Amino acid sequence: MSNVNFFQRDTAINAADNPLYDNLLSGGEAWMSLRYSNYGFTGFLRMDAFHNSNLQNPTQPMSGFGIGAWSISKEWKKLTATGGYIYDQIGSGILFRSYEDRGLLIDNALVGLALKYELTPEIMVKGFTGQQKNVFQRYQPIIKGLNIEGDWQLGKTVHITPGFGALNRTLDKGSMDNVVNNINNLPIGDRFVPNYNMYAFTFYNTLTAGDFSWYIEGAYKTSEAINDLSGTLRGSDGNIVYSTLGYARKGVAITLSGKRTEHFVMRTSPNEILNFGMLNWQPIIAQIRPQRLIARYTPPSLDYSEIGGAANVLINPTDNMDLNFSYTHINTLDDLKLYREFYAEANFRGLGDKILLDIGAQYLEYNQEFYQSKAGWGTVKAITPFAEFTYRVTRNQSFKVQAQYMSTEQDFGSWAFLGFEYAIAPKWSFALSDMYNTDPKRTDVSGRHFYNVFLAYTAGAHRFSMAYVKQVEGVNCTGGVCRYEPAFSGLKLGITSSF
């Protein structure tokens, strides 16, 4: 997989005044991996290259080349042993999750050893120890974990999969020295004694009974030094409860979810912020929407203070129609309003053999001052109707039109989005879109049009893509993990190949 960016300076949208646009003009990254299995062994090797890459920090280049990940696994009867760079998780990931997300340059593999043993056909036990990956280096604190999971069928219609997890993170001396220095700079009344060791525990279970499915997980961590919402160190323990309840039968599906988080900050050390040094992944309550305008205001999952719930109802009144309704409600534990969403969508498939139609609307309230740390910006309130029309020209050709309009008095003001896609399966894909700032509220951005021209070609296992992009500043989220990105202007090339 290879990405190449050519940076085109555009002061009208603030795509300027950093080394990428002013001096370097190009950059990119590439990954090449190989997996081989034989005689009960599995080997994995991945080479990573970053040359003036903007992935880690969108305004500053990063360069480096080397082995990004490797591992060797051996299966022997009921035991599996793995050494190297390990990607795994406990439960839903609330306690521990080592994973890779290249779009946000999250690669927090555990570098160490892991054992997994099938104690009985119903019980699996695994343990691991190591340090977390930090690009081509490692964070120095030591991480140890234990996970026990079960799987039982109770009668004809009831099935449970309970689990227990425990985690211990031990700070190194360098990390502790930084923590102590920061504590000593606090007012005397706010100082506390930090701990080298943090212990965390989780219990979870999935219960399936007939048409119902219920997942619940509760976790607790012992007291340690963490950063509060103002970035000040304090000593505190933490806890979290997360649950989803689903009901599905022919014609209807209902999903309820809820989450309460209090000081459940899980990092390699209190010295890491943003998306650096994350030990876990917290589920997101709000649904991630694919619409371009709506996606601008996706709330991230919060680890310090959050309480929220969501309800979603999917109805199939006929075989050719889906109706989707949802509501999301998120606050801090201090009852600060963070996010509200009312969403309705209808999908029609019965307008002819070649026509698909999707229409809907969203109302949201998004606390931009809190989520994006923009003092005085307040809360974005927006109504966004949208429509998507797809026409199958032939069996292997289709044409799609997307139209969206966001009406708001906050942030940049109102937007209109229009996109066209044409696909010739299985080889070609073309797309053209424009975001237009119809009612600008910001004087620091004079450019109103944000174009995107996209072309992709697939030949067997190889996919080549090219896009000319003008992108407004905003938040990029993947699975509830978000980061703020500045405006982008330029050409993007991509190659993905599997062989």
Side-chain angles (χ1 to χ4, degrees):
M1 179 177 179
S2 300
N3 301 320
V4 181
N5 295 322
F6 295 93
F7 302 97
Q8 181 186 44
R9 182 180 172 89
D10 189 343
T11 57
I13 63 172
N14 286 334
D17 300 327
N18 65 64
L20 297 169
Y21 288 97
D22 297 348
N23 304 314
L24 305 177
L25 306 183
S26 64
E29 50 278 339
W31 300 265
M32 183 174 180
S33 60
L34 172 68
R35 185 179 301 274
Y36 179 77
S37 298
N38 209 344
Y39 302 107
F41 287 92
T42 298
F44 172 76
L45 175 68
R46 193 186 73 222
M47 304 297 294
D48 296 359
F50 304 95
H51 294 158
N52 293 333
S53 169
N54 69 335
L55 269 186
Q56 186 176 58
N57 185 333
T59 63
Q60 298 296 325
M62 180 188 73
S63 295
F65 175 80
I67 296 176
W70 64 266
S71 66
I72 298 176
S73 296
K74 169 62 177 175
E75 295 184 15
W76 186 73
K77 295 185 178 179
K78 297 181 179 181
L79 177 69
T80 301
T82 303
Y85 290 68
I86 300 163
Y87 296 95
D88 204 346
Q89 69 182 53
I90 296 176
S92 66
I94 285 176
L95 194 72
F96 172 79
R97 185 185 186 192
S98 57
Y99 70 107
E100 181 189 14
D101 186 328
R102 294 180 184 176
L104 299 177
L105 195 60
I106 295 175
D107 188 354
N108 54 4
L110 182 74
V111 188
L113 295 170
L115 296 175
K116 182 169 65 174
Y117 184 72
E118 185 181 304
L119 190 63
T120 71
E122 296 83 18
I123 301 176
M124 181 276 296
V125 180
K126 65 181 177 183
F128 53 81
T129 182
Q131 296 171 302
Q132 191 185 93
K133 180 183 188 298
N134 180 20
V135 191
F136 294 112
Q137 300 177 345
R138 296 194 298 273
Y139 294 104
Q140 293 306 301
I142 302 299
I143 303 162
K144 299 181 284 290
L146 171 70
N147 188 203
I148 304 173
E149 289 189 338
D151 190 327
W152 286 279
Q153 183 72 34
L154 307 178
K156 295 182 179 180
T157 62
V158 179
H159 185 261
I160 61 171
T161 54
F164 165 77
L167 187 83
N168 166 228
R169 188 224 56 215
T170 305
L171 292 179
D172 62 290
K173 186 178 184 303
S175 296
M176 178 56 80
D177 288 344
N178 286 334
V179 172
V180 171
N181 290 335
N182 289 331
I183 292 175
N184 289 337
N185 290 327
L186 296 175
I188 294 178
D190 295 334
R191 296 178 186 176
F192 60 95
V193 178
N195 298 316
Y196 266 91
N197 283 280
M198 177 273 292
Y199 302 92
F201 310 92
T202 186
F203 293 91
Y204 55 91
N205 181 56
T206 299
L207 168 67
T208 303
D211 297 329
F212 289 90
S213 178
W214 178 35
Y215 178 83
I216 185 168
E217 182 168 1
Y220 171 80
K221 63 188 288 283
T222 60
S223 182
E224 65 157 333
I226 60 173
N227 286 292
D228 63 17
L229 294 175
S230 66
T232 302
L233 279 182
R234 60 171 294 178
S236 177
D237 59 358
N239 61 83
I240 182 172
V241 177
Y242 170 72
S243 183
T244 62
L245 176 64
Y247 170 80
R249 62 182 306 175
K250 182 175 176 59
V252 62
I254 301 173
T255 302
L256 305 176
S257 60
K259 177 170 172 279
R260 184 189 185 277
T261 307
E262 183 175 11
H263 305 172
F264 202 80
V265 182
M266 299 285 288
R267 295 184 183 270
T268 54
S269 82
N271 305 311
E272 307 304 330
I273 60 173
L274 301 176
N275 291 338
F276 297 99
M278 298 186 303
L279 293 179
N280 68 337
W281 172 87
Q282 292 201 17
I284 183 173
I285 292 297
Q287 294 191 42
I288 298 177
R289 307 297 182 189
Q291 293 83 8
R292 179 67 183 89
L293 298 184
I294 294 177
R296 284 182 48 78
Y297 302 111
T298 300
S301 189
L302 303 177
D303 57 10
Y304 189 81
S305 175
E306 182 183 47
I307 183 168
N312 180 259
V313 179
L314 178 65
I315 303 173
N316 304 111
T318 71
D319 291 338
N320 295 318
M321 180 189 301
D322 296 329
L323 302 177
N324 186 11
F325 305 95
S326 67
Y327 172 69
T328 304
H329 184 110
I330 303 175
N331 283 1
T332 66
L333 296 180
D334 296 328
D335 209 30
L336 175 66
K337 181 189 287 188
L338 296 182
Y339 185 76
R340 301 289 188 272
E341 183 200 46
F342 296 89
Y343 183 88
E345 181 181 10
N347 184 276
F348 301 95
R349 298 179 295 275
L351 303 177
D353 295 337
K354 297 183 177 182
I355 298 176
L356 300 174
L357 178 63
D358 184 52
I359 59 174
Q362 182 215 48
Y363 171 78
L364 71 79
E365 297 180 16
Y366 172 91
N367 193 327
Q368 189 175 27
E369 180 173 352
F370 182 91
Y371 282 125
Q372 299 182 14
S373 301
K374 294 183 175 181
W377 285 53
T379 297
V380 174
K381 298 180 180 179
I383 298 176
T384 308
F386 60 88
E388 181 178 294
F389 174 84
T390 302
Y391 178 73
R392 296 192 183 99
V393 182
T394 64
R395 291 184 60 184
N396 65 336
Q397 297 183 43
S398 64
F399 181 77
K400 180 186 296 184
V401 180
Q402 295 177 313
Q404 305 162 30
Y405 183 79
M406 173 174 283
S407 176
T408 179
E409 296 295 322
Q410 291 78 42
D411 198 11
F412 284 94
S414 298
W415 292 92
F417 174 87
L418 187 63
F420 302 91
E421 297 181 21
Y422 183 67
I424 306 175
K427 294 185 177 297
W428 292 97
S429 180
F430 309 87
L432 173 66
S433 66
D434 179 27
M435 279 179 56
Y436 178 67
N437 199 191
T438 61
D439 185 20
K441 302 298 181 184
R442 294 266 298 272
T443 58
D444 60 329
V445 177
S446 58
R448 291 189 176 188
H449 286 279
F450 294 85
Y451 302 105
N452 190 326
V453 182
F454 175 83
L455 170 65
Y457 174 73
T458 301
H462 314 294
R463 187 175 188 270
F464 307 87
S465 65
M466 177 176 63
Y468 177 73
V469 178
K470 284 195 178 292
Q471 177 178 299
V472 67
E473 66 171 85
V475 175
N476 179 24
C477 295
T478 302
V481 180
C482 303
R483 73 171 181 182
Y484 180 79
E485 293 187 352
F488 178 87
S489 174
L491 184 67
K492 296 185 176 185
L493 304 178
I495 300 174
T496 303
S497 181
S498 300
F499 52 89

